[in-house]
Amino acid sequence: MNHELLPPFPLSRPRRLRQSPALRRLVRENPAGAGQLILPLFVRAGRRQRLPIDAMPGVCQLSPDEAVKEATQAYTAGVPAVLLFGIPERKDDRASGAYAAHGVVQQALRLLKQELPDLLLATDVCLCEYMRHGHCGIIRPGSRDARVLNDPTLKLLARTAASHAEAGADLVAPSDMMDGRVAAIRAALDRAGFADTPIMAYAAKFASAFYGPFREAAESAPQFGDRRGYQMDPANALEALREVALDIREGADLVMVKPALAYLDILHRVKSTFGYPTAAYAVSGEFAMIKAAAARGWIDERAITLESYLALRRAGADMVITYAAKEIARWLQEAS
Ligand code: PBG
């Protein structure tokens, strides 16, 4: 900005443009509509099942038929996409539920595609929900060491992504943080005839305490150790840029920063450095904190949720993954 071209200070009256809703709308830099929202859904086997998750009020584990109902409501309110997580009936040490042709995510994909053909179906590609030990990849058999074996894990991730595409996924989102997973998944998708299926990489995913409620929701807490051997150190920003660069080189079409509100600096740097389509994931702990304070009457849930959404857009998110997607979309409808 060339400051010499600006009018002298006394003439500048920014409030002129804040006088009415219409003026404020005209000059809004980062409109945040329903069209930029993605709703995560937890699917489990069965029919007519809705199992509430304690630390995430209003969020349930859903059987595929109930997932269709939930997705229909969100879609009707204007949310264009859902992101599926699976809770399998059985876990093992090879995550077989993740890539089973009739796994729970695969079943939900087929049903959702049939019932809501225009809804965008994204899937989380990870192994932790399907592994007995709860880690995101393969652990040396019999070991209680949380060091996940990188390259053997890639094969299973690639297989999982291909099986999601086969079942109808429009977009796959690897969240495991193994090195080289985007390239492995891209190759597997291409080989299976899904060259047009985009990859949304959880590129800068931090080892965060904000994932606590999710692990209850997805029954995926690690049984020993933690995820710091594969997810990023919350102290690091430059490394996040390197992670994003790698994922883009390997073929990511969209990149993600996760968590969201505590990582606005990362989001901003990722968007301004790469200019790629960028997603922010407002994670379970962020959602739970707002719900808990709102339940006590300490904060205005609607105002804080909408403000948080705007903040993510302003920081550089093209799209936001949030458990509040349906509510946000409805509030926006009411307001317009
Ligand atoms: C799977 C995965 C996790 C989340 C998204 N994908 C959990 C984790 O990494 O422990 C967290 C989402 C949330 O907290 O809302 N690896």
Side-chain angles (χ1 to χ4, degrees):
M1 201 183 293
N2 183 345
H3 292 272
E4 308 206 333
L5 296 178
L6 293 176
F9 182 67
L11 292 180
S12 169
R13 298 184 70 103
R15 288 188 53 200
R16 280 195 194 114
L17 298 181
R18 296 179 196 147
Q19 290 180 85
S20 68
L23 260 178
R24 291 194 293 268
R25 206 174 310 130
L26 275 181
V27 299
R28 183 163 245 199
E29 295 173 38
N30 297 288
Q36 291 82 43
L37 294 168
I38 301 175
L39 174 68
L41 293 176
F42 298 104
V43 290
R44 61 175 300 123
R47 284 176 60 87
R48 298 177 151 262
Q49 301 278 317
R50 293 184 76 89
L51 273 76
I53 297 152
D54 274 354
M56 301 174 73
V59 181
C60 295
Q61 293 183 357
L62 304 166
S63 51
D65 53 324
E66 292 291 330
V68 168
K69 284 189 205 157
E70 191 70 24
T72 304
Q73 290 175 7
Y75 184 70
T76 308
V79 176
V82 294
L83 173 64
L84 301 184
F85 292 90
I87 298 108
E89 283 177 289
R90 255 167 288 101
K91 300 175 192 269
D92 58 26
D93 295 329
R94 299 204 40 84
S96 11
Y99 42 85
H102 295 281
V104 66
V105 165
Q106 289 80 355
Q107 286 178 36
L109 283 167
R110 289 191 199 95
L111 195 61
L112 283 161
K113 195 38 89 196
Q114 179 189 313
E115 301 294 321
L116 294 163
D118 296 326
L119 176 70
L120 208 58
L121 303 178
T123 57
D124 183 89
V125 175
C126 196
L127 306 180
C128 54
E129 299 107 280
Y130 306 90
M131 288 286 202
R132 229 184 328 243
H133 49 61
H135 280 289
C136 300
I138 296 174
I139 302 267
R140 209 178 312 280
S143 151
R144 289 182 67 82
D145 177 347
R147 243 177 312 175
V148 170
L149 304 177
N150 196 85
D151 294 6
T153 298
L154 298 183
K155 295 193 187 71
L156 300 189
L157 290 167
R159 206 166 148 189
T160 302
S163 109
H164 288 173
E166 200 83 56
D170 299 302
L171 200 87
V172 294
S175 70
D176 52 284
M177 288 301 276
M178 296 303 120
D179 294 337
R181 79 273 169 73
V182 173
I185 288 172
R186 184 71 271 157
L189 289 174
D190 292 355
R191 235 181 294 121
F194 298 104
D196 289 335
T197 303
I199 298 175
M200 173 162 71
Y202 285 70
K205 176 173 175 180
F206 290 84
S208 172
F210 285 98
Y211 307 152
F214 173 95
R215 294 182 187 164
E216 175 205 336
E219 300 174 13
S220 67
Q223 298 303 300
F224 50 87
D226 55 45
R227 302 208 202 288
R228 281 181 271 192
Y230 39 103
Q231 299 180 350
M232 285 188 52
D233 181 345
N236 294 357
L238 292 173
E239 189 193 356
L241 299 181
R242 291 198 295 275
E243 281 280 9
V244 172
L246 277 172
D247 283 2
I248 290 174
R249 281 239 176 96
E250 290 179 29
D253 302 281
L254 308 99
V255 294
M256 193 198 298
V257 174
K258 176 184 175 201
L261 271 192
Y263 294 81
L264 289 181
D265 59 322
I266 308 287
L267 187 55
H268 184 256
R269 288 168 82 162
V270 165
K271 184 65 192 180
S272 56
T273 305
F274 300 100
Y276 252 61
T278 302
Y281 196 144
V283 301
S284 55
E286 305 181 52
F287 177 80
M289 291 194 305
I290 293 179
K291 285 286 182 188
R296 284 162 180 73
W298 292 345
I299 57 167
D300 177 339
E301 177 178 354
R302 171 177 169 154
I304 286 207
T305 305
L306 290 172
E307 184 177 333
S308 304
Y309 179 30
L310 271 181
L312 297 176
R313 292 275 294 144
R314 189 193 65 237
D318 296 292
M319 65 211 85
V320 173
I321 302 166
T322 166
Y323 301 98
K326 189 174 76 181
E327 287 71 31
I328 293 176
R330 286 183 175 163
W331 291 327
L332 294 173
Q333 263 178 347
E334 282 168 31
S336 64

mmCIF file of all heavy atoms in Angstrom, residues 33-81:
data_model
loop_
_atom_site.group_PDB
_atom_site.id
_atom_site.type_symbol
_atom_site.label_atom_id
_atom_site.label_comp_id
_atom_site.label_asym_id
_atom_site.label_seq_id
_atom_site.Cartn_x
_atom_site.Cartn_y
_atom_site.Cartn_z
ATOM 1 N N GLY A 33 -20.133 -18.261 3.951
ATOM 2 C CA GLY A 33 -21.457 -18.809 3.691
ATOM 3 C C GLY A 33 -21.516 -20.293 3.990
ATOM 4 O O GLY A 33 -20.532 -20.905 4.389
ATOM 5 N N ALA A 34 -22.697 -20.874 3.776
ATOM 6 C CA ALA A 34 -22.854 -22.307 4.002
ATOM 7 C C ALA A 34 -22.026 -23.103 2.988
ATOM 8 O O ALA A 34 -21.591 -24.215 3.269
ATOM 9 C CB ALA A 34 -24.322 -22.682 3.886
ATOM 10 N N GLY A 35 -21.778 -22.511 1.826
ATOM 11 C CA GLY A 35 -21.111 -23.211 0.737
ATOM 12 C C GLY A 35 -19.662 -23.570 0.999
ATOM 13 O O GLY A 35 -19.051 -24.318 0.242
ATOM 14 N N GLN A 36 -19.098 -23.039 2.078
ATOM 15 C CA GLN A 36 -17.693 -23.354 2.395
ATOM 16 C C GLN A 36 -17.573 -24.300 3.584
ATOM 17 O O GLN A 36 -16.504 -24.411 4.192
ATOM 18 C CB GLN A 36 -16.932 -22.053 2.705
ATOM 19 C CG GLN A 36 -16.719 -21.144 1.511
ATOM 20 C CD GLN A 36 -17.929 -20.286 1.199
ATOM 21 O OE1 GLN A 36 -18.568 -19.738 2.089
ATOM 22 N NE2 GLN A 36 -18.252 -20.180 -0.074
ATOM 23 N N LEU A 37 -18.675 -24.970 3.928
ATOM 24 C CA LEU A 37 -18.661 -25.820 5.125
ATOM 25 C C LEU A 37 -18.624 -27.304 4.779
ATOM 26 O O LEU A 37 -19.225 -27.748 3.794
ATOM 27 C CB LEU A 37 -19.918 -25.553 5.964
ATOM 28 C CG LEU A 37 -20.020 -24.158 6.597
ATOM 29 C CD1 LEU A 37 -21.430 -23.935 7.140
ATOM 30 C CD2 LEU A 37 -18.982 -24.001 7.710
ATOM 31 N N ILE A 38 -17.936 -28.064 5.612
ATOM 32 C CA ILE A 38 -17.896 -29.524 5.492
ATOM 33 C C ILE A 38 -18.266 -30.112 6.858
ATOM 34 O O ILE A 38 -17.689 -29.720 7.870
ATOM 35 C CB ILE A 38 -16.489 -30.006 5.076
ATOM 36 C CG1 ILE A 38 -16.091 -29.386 3.728
ATOM 37 C CG2 ILE A 38 -16.436 -31.535 5.017
ATOM 38 C CD1 ILE A 38 -14.661 -29.705 3.288
ATOM 39 N N LEU A 39 -19.227 -31.021 6.862
ATOM 40 C CA LEU A 39 -19.693 -31.613 8.120
ATOM 41 C C LEU A 39 -19.104 -33.020 8.322
ATOM 42 O O LEU A 39 -19.350 -33.909 7.508
ATOM 43 C CB LEU A 39 -21.227 -31.721 8.107
ATOM 44 C CG LEU A 39 -21.862 -32.450 9.293
ATOM 45 C CD1 LEU A 39 -21.691 -31.661 10.591
ATOM 46 C CD2 LEU A 39 -23.343 -32.738 9.037
ATOM 47 N N PRO A 40 -18.347 -33.244 9.391
ATOM 48 C CA PRO A 40 -17.859 -34.599 9.672
ATOM 49 C C PRO A 40 -19.000 -35.481 10.205
ATOM 50 O O PRO A 40 -19.838 -35.006 10.967
ATOM 51 C CB PRO A 40 -16.812 -34.398 10.785
ATOM 52 C CG PRO A 40 -16.605 -32.924 10.903
ATOM 53 C CD PRO A 40 -17.848 -32.272 10.373
ATOM 54 N N LEU A 41 -19.008 -36.750 9.805
ATOM 55 C CA LEU A 41 -20.008 -37.693 10.312
ATOM 56 C C LEU A 41 -19.293 -38.969 10.761
ATOM 57 O O LEU A 41 -18.391 -39.453 10.074
ATOM 58 C CB LEU A 41 -21.012 -38.065 9.210
ATOM 59 C CG LEU A 41 -21.952 -36.969 8.688
ATOM 60 C CD1 LEU A 41 -22.794 -37.517 7.525
ATOM 61 C CD2 LEU A 41 -22.872 -36.451 9.797
ATOM 62 N N PHE A 42 -19.715 -39.494 11.914
ATOM 63 C CA PHE A 42 -19.156 -40.753 12.421
ATOM 64 C C PHE A 42 -20.137 -41.871 12.098
ATOM 65 O O PHE A 42 -21.267 -41.851 12.591
ATOM 66 C CB PHE A 42 -18.959 -40.671 13.943
ATOM 67 C CG PHE A 42 -17.994 -39.596 14.352
ATOM 68 C CD1 PHE A 42 -18.438 -38.394 14.888
ATOM 69 C CD2 PHE A 42 -16.623 -39.783 14.201
ATOM 70 C CE1 PHE A 42 -17.544 -37.395 15.259
ATOM 71 C CE2 PHE A 42 -15.718 -38.793 14.563
ATOM 72 C CZ PHE A 42 -16.175 -37.599 15.095
ATOM 73 N N VAL A 43 -19.707 -42.821 11.276
ATOM 74 C CA VAL A 43 -20.637 -43.894 10.933
ATOM 75 C C VAL A 43 -20.225 -45.228 11.563
ATOM 76 O O VAL A 43 -19.043 -45.547 11.664
ATOM 77 C CB VAL A 43 -20.816 -44.068 9.402
ATOM 78 C CG1 VAL A 43 -21.584 -42.900 8.826
ATOM 79 C CG2 VAL A 43 -19.498 -44.230 8.696
ATOM 80 N N ARG A 44 -21.253 -45.942 12.020
ATOM 81 C CA ARG A 44 -21.036 -47.264 12.606
ATOM 82 C C ARG A 44 -22.034 -48.234 11.991
ATOM 83 O O ARG A 44 -22.985 -47.819 11.328
ATOM 84 C CB ARG A 44 -21.199 -47.209 14.123
ATOM 85 C CG ARG A 44 -22.594 -46.776 14.576
ATOM 86 C CD ARG A 44 -22.745 -46.852 16.088
ATOM 87 N NE ARG A 44 -22.541 -48.194 16.562
ATOM 88 C CZ ARG A 44 -21.631 -48.543 17.470
ATOM 89 N NH1 ARG A 44 -20.878 -47.638 18.036
ATOM 90 N NH2 ARG A 44 -21.511 -49.798 17.846
ATOM 91 N N ALA A 45 -21.847 -49.514 12.223
ATOM 92 C CA ALA A 45 -22.717 -50.519 11.610
ATOM 93 C C ALA A 45 -24.112 -50.474 12.235
ATOM 94 O O ALA A 45 -24.299 -49.926 13.318
ATOM 95 C CB ALA A 45 -22.102 -51.900 11.798
ATOM 96 N N GLY A 46 -25.063 -51.062 11.542
ATOM 97 C CA GLY A 46 -26.403 -51.218 12.088
ATOM 98 C C GLY A 46 -27.445 -50.395 11.365
ATOM 99 O O GLY A 46 -27.179 -49.830 10.293
ATOM 100 N N ARG A 47 -28.642 -50.359 11.970
ATOM 101 C CA ARG A 47 -29.751 -49.558 11.443
ATOM 102 C C ARG A 47 -30.393 -48.800 12.585
ATOM 103 O O ARG A 47 -30.459 -49.291 13.709
ATOM 104 C CB ARG A 47 -30.809 -50.474 10.813
ATOM 105 C CG ARG A 47 -30.399 -51.025 9.451
ATOM 106 C CD ARG A 47 -31.458 -51.992 8.932
ATOM 107 N NE ARG A 47 -32.752 -51.341 8.778
ATOM 108 C CZ ARG A 47 -33.127 -50.676 7.677
ATOM 109 N NH1 ARG A 47 -32.328 -50.609 6.644
ATOM 110 N NH2 ARG A 47 -34.309 -50.102 7.614
ATOM 111 N N ARG A 48 -30.865 -47.624 12.283
ATOM 112 C CA ARG A 48 -31.553 -46.776 13.270
ATOM 113 C C ARG A 48 -30.755 -46.573 14.552
ATOM 114 O O ARG A 48 -31.284 -46.561 15.650
ATOM 115 C CB ARG A 48 -32.922 -47.387 13.618
ATOM 116 C CG ARG A 48 -33.812 -47.467 12.409
ATOM 117 C CD ARG A 48 -35.147 -48.123 12.682
ATOM 118 N NE ARG A 48 -36.146 -47.582 11.779
ATOM 119 C CZ ARG A 48 -36.998 -46.613 12.107
ATOM 120 N NH1 ARG A 48 -36.987 -46.089 13.302
ATOM 121 N NH2 ARG A 48 -37.868 -46.180 11.224
ATOM 122 N N GLN A 49 -29.442 -46.445 14.376
ATOM 123 C CA GLN A 49 -28.572 -46.237 15.535
ATOM 124 C C GLN A 49 -28.121 -44.791 15.592
ATOM 125 O O GLN A 49 -27.610 -44.253 14.607
ATOM 126 C CB GLN A 49 -27.311 -47.109 15.417
ATOM 127 C CG GLN A 49 -27.567 -48.582 15.333
ATOM 128 C CD GLN A 49 -27.779 -49.171 16.709
ATOM 129 O OE1 GLN A 49 -27.058 -48.846 17.649
ATOM 130 N NE2 GLN A 49 -28.793 -50.003 16.830
ATOM 131 N N ARG A 50 -28.293 -44.172 16.742
ATOM 132 C CA ARG A 50 -27.752 -42.825 17.007
ATOM 133 C C ARG A 50 -27.171 -42.856 18.403
ATOM 134 O O ARG A 50 -27.904 -42.818 19.380
ATOM 135 C CB ARG A 50 -28.854 -41.762 16.987
ATOM 136 C CG ARG A 50 -29.507 -41.514 15.658
ATOM 137 C CD ARG A 50 -30.510 -40.368 15.789
ATOM 138 N NE ARG A 50 -29.827 -39.081 15.856
ATOM 139 C CZ ARG A 50 -29.511 -38.370 14.782
ATOM 140 N NH1 ARG A 50 -29.832 -38.797 13.579
ATOM 141 N NH2 ARG A 50 -28.887 -37.228 14.902
ATOM 142 N N LEU A 51 -25.861 -42.970 18.518
ATOM 143 C CA LEU A 51 -25.230 -43.045 19.847
ATOM 144 C C LEU A 51 -24.563 -41.716 20.176
ATOM 145 O O LEU A 51 -23.553 -41.365 19.569
ATOM 146 C CB LEU A 51 -24.168 -44.147 19.866
ATOM 147 C CG LEU A 51 -24.648 -45.550 20.200
ATOM 148 C CD1 LEU A 51 -25.369 -46.168 19.032
ATOM 149 C CD2 LEU A 51 -23.463 -46.392 20.594
ATOM 150 N N PRO A 52 -25.134 -40.980 21.139
ATOM 151 C CA PRO A 52 -24.583 -39.656 21.454
ATOM 152 C C PRO A 52 -23.148 -39.754 21.970
ATOM 153 O O PRO A 52 -22.763 -40.729 22.616
ATOM 154 C CB PRO A 52 -25.500 -39.144 22.567
ATOM 155 C CG PRO A 52 -26.707 -40.008 22.539
ATOM 156 C CD PRO A 52 -26.293 -41.336 21.955
ATOM 157 N N ILE A 53 -22.365 -38.740 21.660
ATOM 158 C CA ILE A 53 -20.983 -38.658 22.131
ATOM 159 C C ILE A 53 -20.942 -37.620 23.261
ATOM 160 O O ILE A 53 -21.298 -36.463 23.055
ATOM 161 C CB ILE A 53 -20.063 -38.236 20.963
ATOM 162 C CG1 ILE A 53 -20.107 -39.314 19.878
ATOM 163 C CG2 ILE A 53 -18.648 -37.984 21.442
ATOM 164 C CD1 ILE A 53 -19.850 -38.797 18.498
ATOM 165 N N ASP A 54 -20.543 -38.074 24.449
ATOM 166 C CA ASP A 54 -20.617 -37.231 25.656
ATOM 167 C C ASP A 54 -20.038 -35.841 25.479
ATOM 168 O O ASP A 54 -20.676 -34.847 25.787
ATOM 169 C CB ASP A 54 -19.840 -37.891 26.803
ATOM 170 C CG ASP A 54 -20.730 -38.872 27.555
ATOM 171 O OD1 ASP A 54 -21.943 -38.916 27.225
ATOM 172 O OD2 ASP A 54 -20.220 -39.566 28.447
ATOM 173 N N ALA A 55 -18.800 -35.797 25.033
ATOM 174 C CA ALA A 55 -18.096 -34.516 25.033
ATOM 175 C C ALA A 55 -18.398 -33.682 23.788
ATOM 176 O O ALA A 55 -17.789 -32.633 23.582
ATOM 177 C CB ALA A 55 -16.599 -34.745 25.165
ATOM 178 N N MET A 56 -19.318 -34.176 22.939
ATOM 179 C CA MET A 56 -19.679 -33.414 21.736
ATOM 180 C C MET A 56 -21.201 -33.351 21.623
ATOM 181 O O MET A 56 -21.807 -34.047 20.802
ATOM 182 C CB MET A 56 -19.062 -34.072 20.487
ATOM 183 C CG MET A 56 -17.547 -34.154 20.550
ATOM 184 S SD MET A 56 -16.825 -35.065 19.174
ATOM 185 C CE MET A 56 -17.058 -33.894 17.848
ATOM 186 N N PRO A 57 -21.828 -32.492 22.435
ATOM 187 C CA PRO A 57 -23.288 -32.447 22.463
ATOM 188 C C PRO A 57 -23.880 -32.230 21.074
ATOM 189 O O PRO A 57 -23.425 -31.358 20.330
ATOM 190 C CB PRO A 57 -23.582 -31.246 23.379
ATOM 191 C CG PRO A 57 -22.352 -31.064 24.206
ATOM 192 C CD PRO A 57 -21.206 -31.517 23.350
ATOM 193 N N GLY A 58 -24.865 -33.064 20.728
ATOM 194 C CA GLY A 58 -25.512 -32.948 19.420
ATOM 195 C C GLY A 58 -24.867 -33.808 18.352
ATOM 196 O O GLY A 58 -25.426 -33.999 17.280
ATOM 197 N N VAL A 59 -23.669 -34.351 18.638
ATOM 198 C CA VAL A 59 -22.990 -35.200 17.658
ATOM 199 C C VAL A 59 -23.168 -36.658 18.076
ATOM 200 O O VAL A 59 -23.067 -36.987 19.253
ATOM 201 C CB VAL A 59 -21.488 -34.856 17.552
ATOM 202 C CG1 VAL A 59 -20.796 -35.731 16.514
ATOM 203 C CG2 VAL A 59 -21.303 -33.380 17.213
ATOM 204 N N CYS A 60 -23.462 -37.536 17.100
ATOM 205 C CA CYS A 60 -23.704 -38.948 17.396
ATOM 206 C C CYS A 60 -22.904 -39.838 16.462
ATOM 207 O O CYS A 60 -22.575 -39.438 15.347
ATOM 208 C CB CYS A 60 -25.182 -39.284 17.175
ATOM 209 S SG CYS A 60 -26.320 -38.453 18.281
ATOM 210 N N GLN A 61 -22.643 -41.037 16.924
ATOM 211 C CA GLN A 61 -22.243 -42.098 15.992
ATOM 212 C C GLN A 61 -23.533 -42.548 15.306
ATOM 213 O O GLN A 61 -24.529 -42.801 15.979
ATOM 214 C CB GLN A 61 -21.646 -43.278 16.741
ATOM 215 C CG GLN A 61 -20.316 -42.981 17.427
ATOM 216 C CD GLN A 61 -19.746 -44.230 18.096
ATOM 217 O OE1 GLN A 61 -20.369 -45.294 18.098
ATOM 218 N NE2 GLN A 61 -18.567 -44.100 18.673
ATOM 219 N N LEU A 62 -23.500 -42.656 13.982
ATOM 220 C CA LEU A 62 -24.730 -42.914 13.230
ATOM 221 C C LEU A 62 -24.602 -44.166 12.383
ATOM 222 O O LEU A 62 -23.557 -44.387 11.758
ATOM 223 C CB LEU A 62 -25.008 -41.737 12.287
ATOM 224 C CG LEU A 62 -25.098 -40.340 12.918
ATOM 225 C CD1 LEU A 62 -25.032 -39.267 11.833
ATOM 226 C CD2 LEU A 62 -26.378 -40.208 13.729
ATOM 227 N N SER A 63 -25.669 -44.964 12.331
ATOM 228 C CA SER A 63 -25.676 -46.040 11.341
ATOM 229 C C SER A 63 -25.891 -45.389 9.970
ATOM 230 O O SER A 63 -26.351 -44.240 9.893
ATOM 231 C CB SER A 63 -26.773 -47.049 11.671
ATOM 232 O OG SER A 63 -28.006 -46.387 11.861
ATOM 233 N N PRO A 64 -25.555 -46.095 8.876
ATOM 234 C CA PRO A 64 -25.629 -45.458 7.554
ATOM 235 C C PRO A 64 -26.986 -44.802 7.250
ATOM 236 O O PRO A 64 -27.021 -43.690 6.701
ATOM 237 C CB PRO A 64 -25.335 -46.616 6.595
ATOM 238 C CG PRO A 64 -24.420 -47.505 7.390
ATOM 239 C CD PRO A 64 -24.923 -47.420 8.806
ATOM 240 N N ASP A 65 -28.090 -45.459 7.640
ATOM 241 C CA ASP A 65 -29.409 -44.853 7.363
ATOM 242 C C ASP A 65 -29.577 -43.533 8.116
ATOM 243 O O ASP A 65 -30.132 -42.562 7.588
ATOM 244 C CB ASP A 65 -30.537 -45.833 7.719
ATOM 245 C CG ASP A 65 -30.423 -46.359 9.143
ATOM 246 O OD1 ASP A 65 -29.279 -46.579 9.614
ATOM 247 O OD2 ASP A 65 -31.458 -46.516 9.820
ATOM 248 N N GLU A 66 -29.083 -43.478 9.354
ATOM 249 C CA GLU A 66 -29.179 -42.233 10.128
ATOM 250 C C GLU A 66 -28.209 -41.176 9.573
ATOM 251 O O GLU A 66 -28.493 -39.982 9.632
ATOM 252 C CB GLU A 66 -28.880 -42.492 11.608
ATOM 253 C CG GLU A 66 -29.938 -43.339 12.316
ATOM 254 C CD GLU A 66 -31.279 -42.604 12.487
ATOM 255 O OE1 GLU A 66 -31.271 -41.361 12.604
ATOM 256 O OE2 GLU A 66 -32.330 -43.282 12.496
ATOM 257 N N ALA A 67 -27.073 -41.643 9.059
ATOM 258 C CA ALA A 67 -26.129 -40.706 8.442
ATOM 259 C C ALA A 67 -26.792 -40.018 7.245
ATOM 260 O O ALA A 67 -26.580 -38.827 7.007
ATOM 261 C CB ALA A 67 -24.853 -41.434 8.013
ATOM 262 N N VAL A 68 -27.625 -40.769 6.524
ATOM 263 C CA VAL A 68 -28.346 -40.177 5.399
ATOM 264 C C VAL A 68 -29.279 -39.071 5.903
ATOM 265 O O VAL A 68 -29.345 -37.978 5.327
ATOM 266 C CB VAL A 68 -29.146 -41.244 4.605
ATOM 267 C CG1 VAL A 68 -30.118 -40.594 3.633
ATOM 268 C CG2 VAL A 68 -28.189 -42.172 3.860
ATOM 269 N N LYS A 69 -29.960 -39.335 7.030
ATOM 270 C CA LYS A 69 -30.868 -38.307 7.576
ATOM 271 C C LYS A 69 -30.111 -37.053 7.965
ATOM 272 O O LYS A 69 -30.522 -35.932 7.653
ATOM 273 C CB LYS A 69 -31.602 -38.853 8.818
ATOM 274 C CG LYS A 69 -32.705 -39.815 8.483
ATOM 275 C CD LYS A 69 -33.519 -40.152 9.727
ATOM 276 C CE LYS A 69 -34.191 -41.501 9.557
ATOM 277 N NZ LYS A 69 -34.539 -42.147 10.816
ATOM 278 N N GLU A 70 -29.007 -37.267 8.673
ATOM 279 C CA GLU A 70 -28.199 -36.130 9.133
ATOM 280 C C GLU A 70 -27.654 -35.337 7.923
ATOM 281 O O GLU A 70 -27.709 -34.109 7.907
ATOM 282 C CB GLU A 70 -27.045 -36.669 9.990
ATOM 283 C CG GLU A 70 -26.267 -35.635 10.753
ATOM 284 C CD GLU A 70 -27.054 -35.008 11.892
ATOM 285 O OE1 GLU A 70 -28.004 -35.653 12.398
ATOM 286 O OE2 GLU A 70 -26.729 -33.871 12.248
ATOM 287 N N ALA A 71 -27.159 -36.078 6.956
ATOM 288 C CA ALA A 71 -26.589 -35.436 5.766
ATOM 289 C C ALA A 71 -27.663 -34.685 4.984
ATOM 290 O O ALA A 71 -27.409 -33.613 4.430
ATOM 291 C CB ALA A 71 -25.914 -36.479 4.883
ATOM 292 N N THR A 72 -28.874 -35.240 4.961
ATOM 293 C CA THR A 72 -29.967 -34.579 4.241
ATOM 294 C C THR A 72 -30.273 -33.230 4.880
ATOM 295 O O THR A 72 -30.457 -32.222 4.189
ATOM 296 C CB THR A 72 -31.235 -35.467 4.257
ATOM 297 O OG1 THR A 72 -30.892 -36.728 3.697
ATOM 298 C CG2 THR A 72 -32.364 -34.838 3.452
ATOM 299 N N GLN A 73 -30.319 -33.226 6.222
ATOM 300 C CA GLN A 73 -30.602 -31.955 6.919
ATOM 301 C C GLN A 73 -29.515 -30.925 6.629
ATOM 302 O O GLN A 73 -29.808 -29.757 6.381
ATOM 303 C CB GLN A 73 -30.685 -32.191 8.429
ATOM 304 C CG GLN A 73 -31.924 -32.968 8.839
ATOM 305 C CD GLN A 73 -31.928 -33.291 10.328
ATOM 306 O OE1 GLN A 73 -31.067 -32.822 11.076
ATOM 307 N NE2 GLN A 73 -32.900 -34.085 10.754
ATOM 308 N N ALA A 74 -28.281 -31.380 6.683
ATOM 309 C CA ALA A 74 -27.178 -30.450 6.434
ATOM 310 C C ALA A 74 -27.231 -29.940 4.998
ATOM 311 O O ALA A 74 -27.099 -28.742 4.731
ATOM 312 C CB ALA A 74 -25.837 -31.131 6.716
ATOM 313 N N TYR A 75 -27.447 -30.854 4.078
ATOM 314 C CA TYR A 75 -27.480 -30.501 2.652
ATOM 315 C C TYR A 75 -28.621 -29.518 2.374
ATOM 316 O O TYR A 75 -28.457 -28.538 1.645
ATOM 317 C CB TYR A 75 -27.636 -31.773 1.816
ATOM 318 C CG TYR A 75 -27.574 -31.520 0.334
ATOM 319 C CD1 TYR A 75 -26.378 -31.157 -0.270
ATOM 320 C CD2 TYR A 75 -28.717 -31.625 -0.451
ATOM 321 C CE1 TYR A 75 -26.312 -30.900 -1.635
ATOM 322 C CE2 TYR A 75 -28.670 -31.374 -1.808
ATOM 323 C CZ TYR A 75 -27.457 -31.012 -2.397
ATOM 324 O OH TYR A 75 -27.397 -30.751 -3.741
ATOM 325 N N THR A 76 -29.759 -29.769 2.987
ATOM 326 C CA THR A 76 -30.915 -28.893 2.807
ATOM 327 C C THR A 76 -30.625 -27.485 3.330
ATOM 328 O O THR A 76 -31.106 -26.494 2.790
ATOM 329 C CB THR A 76 -32.143 -29.484 3.546
ATOM 330 O OG1 THR A 76 -32.292 -30.836 3.119
ATOM 331 C CG2 THR A 76 -33.416 -28.732 3.226
ATOM 332 N N ALA A 77 -29.822 -27.417 4.393
ATOM 333 C CA ALA A 77 -29.457 -26.103 4.942
ATOM 334 C C ALA A 77 -28.365 -25.423 4.107
ATOM 335 O O ALA A 77 -28.015 -24.276 4.386
ATOM 336 C CB ALA A 77 -29.006 -26.263 6.390
ATOM 337 N N GLY A 78 -27.814 -26.132 3.128
ATOM 338 C CA GLY A 78 -26.833 -25.500 2.237
ATOM 339 C C GLY A 78 -25.413 -26.022 2.362
ATOM 340 O O GLY A 78 -24.508 -25.541 1.682
ATOM 341 N N VAL A 79 -25.192 -27.018 3.244
ATOM 342 C CA VAL A 79 -23.836 -27.571 3.400
ATOM 343 C C VAL A 79 -23.559 -28.512 2.224
ATOM 344 O O VAL A 79 -24.297 -29.468 2.017
ATOM 345 C CB VAL A 79 -23.708 -28.347 4.734
ATOM 346 C CG1 VAL A 79 -22.352 -29.011 4.858
ATOM 347 C CG2 VAL A 79 -23.974 -27.410 5.918
ATOM 348 N N PRO A 80 -22.511 -28.260 1.452
ATOM 349 C CA PRO A 80 -22.311 -29.043 0.229
ATOM 350 C C PRO A 80 -21.572 -30.368 0.409
ATOM 351 O O PRO A 80 -21.551 -31.189 -0.498
ATOM 352 C CB PRO A 80 -21.458 -28.111 -0.640
ATOM 353 C CG PRO A 80 -20.689 -27.281 0.343
ATOM 354 C CD PRO A 80 -21.564 -27.129 1.550
ATOM 355 N N ALA A 81 -20.941 -30.580 1.588
ATOM 356 C CA ALA A 81 -20.049 -31.744 1.711
ATOM 357 C C ALA A 81 -20.056 -32.338 3.116
ATOM 358 O O ALA A 81 -20.248 -31.631 4.102
ATOM 359 C CB ALA A 81 -18.616 -31.326 1.354
#
